[in-house]
Amino acid sequence: MYKLFFNLVFKHMDPEKAHYLAFRWIRGAARTPVLRTFVAAALAPRYKELRTEALGLRMHGPFGLAAGFDKNAVAIDGMAMLGFDHVEIGTVTGEPQPGNPKKRLFRLVADRALINRMGFNNEGSLAVAARLASRNPVFKTTVGVNIGKTKVVPEAEAVGDYVKSTERLAAFADYLVVNVSSPNTPGLRNLQATQALRPLLTAVREAADRTVRSRRVPLLVKIAPDLADEDIDAVADLAVELGLDGIIATNTTIKREGLATEGEVVNETGGLSGAPLKERSLEVLRRLYARVGDKITLVGVGGVENAEDAWQRILAGATLVQGYSAFIYEGPFYARAVHKGLAARLRTSPYATLADAIGADVKENTSA
Ligand SMILES: Cc1cc2nc3c(=O)[nH]c(=O)nc-3n(C[C@H](O)[C@H](O)[C@H](O)COP(=O)(O)O)c2cc1C
């Protein structure tokens, strides 16, 4: 049904316009009590066996919405209604900014992929904090807050910008993510180098602790798939050393390898996401798990299209799994299909619980 609709309507629309149209429908449905109850019953069935504990939080399941879809925290209930077990809002920057000029989002339909150079278009930390403060949640869901650097802030002052966002947003975050991996803010990915990352993560940790005294807000870092293997190891070691709670792997890639789509669109500047990212994202996750094991929580994202992909991420070491691009291609039944398939996969697996399956592939290979 959705695929037919996608081919007849969305495919012919500008991708960003289609995004906002779908977004309006989701928000509208979530605001209408009868409709949202009906939709949630159909799309967000709960599976006892998928209940997940991660980052000190209890969730209905391991599968959530990756950052970038709901940058301004306007549709958390809507996304929970569609079955996402956690919703990562943002990236939010210290100051509001319009992002890059349009067109800045492109579909590579033959590859089930997207290229985006949105450039952190968002209302800024003050406005998003105010929205989160006045939020009256309908569905109980985990809310991650992903923060990044304001474009006009020089790299040398990046820490202050992240600290500002942390002070404003940490109180509303079930977990906080330091995003240093978007390819669309000049210089941002340089912050992944440990000499820049160490002071940044330390300052954000301190700011979160200073601002929120009643609990310890879990802190994660989100990394790019284009890091060299030694740099992945270095980030992993640093995360353990600093007592970070998790790593999200991965953001979009600037590489363009093995694409089926033809034409100029593949040369658009920006980050590539979706199916072509699957292999590298999984590889990064495996490498991280081999390095950190169960010391910190890993979140697997990049090309997760279905339950089998989610299962592979769990076997590779992910406690939580996220998706974005496949939601565009699979539509509202995406999360439901992942849950249903994951529950079935677990039942036929040798593992009694999802937690037992985490990293099983990597453990097997390292003990062999
Ligand atoms: C249009 C678009 C915007 C995105 N914006 C953000 C963002 O603001 N912050 C972020 O950390 N990741 C952002 N991402 C990256 C996703 O969160 C995710 O890491 C990446 O797309 C890989 O997952 P996927 O293959 O399931 O899409 C964005 C992705 C897309 C497609």
Side-chain angles (χ1 to χ4, degrees), residues 66-68 71 91 116 146 179 222 250-251 273-274 301-303 323-325:
K71 290 185 190 274
T91 292
N116 92 82
N146 177 310
N179 179 12
K222 182 166 178 180
T250 68
N251 214 312
S273 58
V301 53
Y324 181 151
S325 301

Side-chain angles (χ1 to χ4, degrees), residues 233 236-237 239-240 244-247 284-299 313-319 355 358-360 362-363 366:
D233 294 346
D237 293 347
V240 172
L244 225 64
D245 299 275
I247 302 177
V284 172
L285 181 65
R286 277 211 188 96
R287 189 168 188 99
L288 285 170
Y289 190 76
R291 194 88 181 173
V292 303
D294 298 320
K295 286 189 205 127
I296 54 179
T297 300
L298 300 179
V299 184
R313 297 302 152 118
I314 291 167
L315 294 179
T319 302
I358 296 169
V362 180
K363 286 177 199 156
T366 43

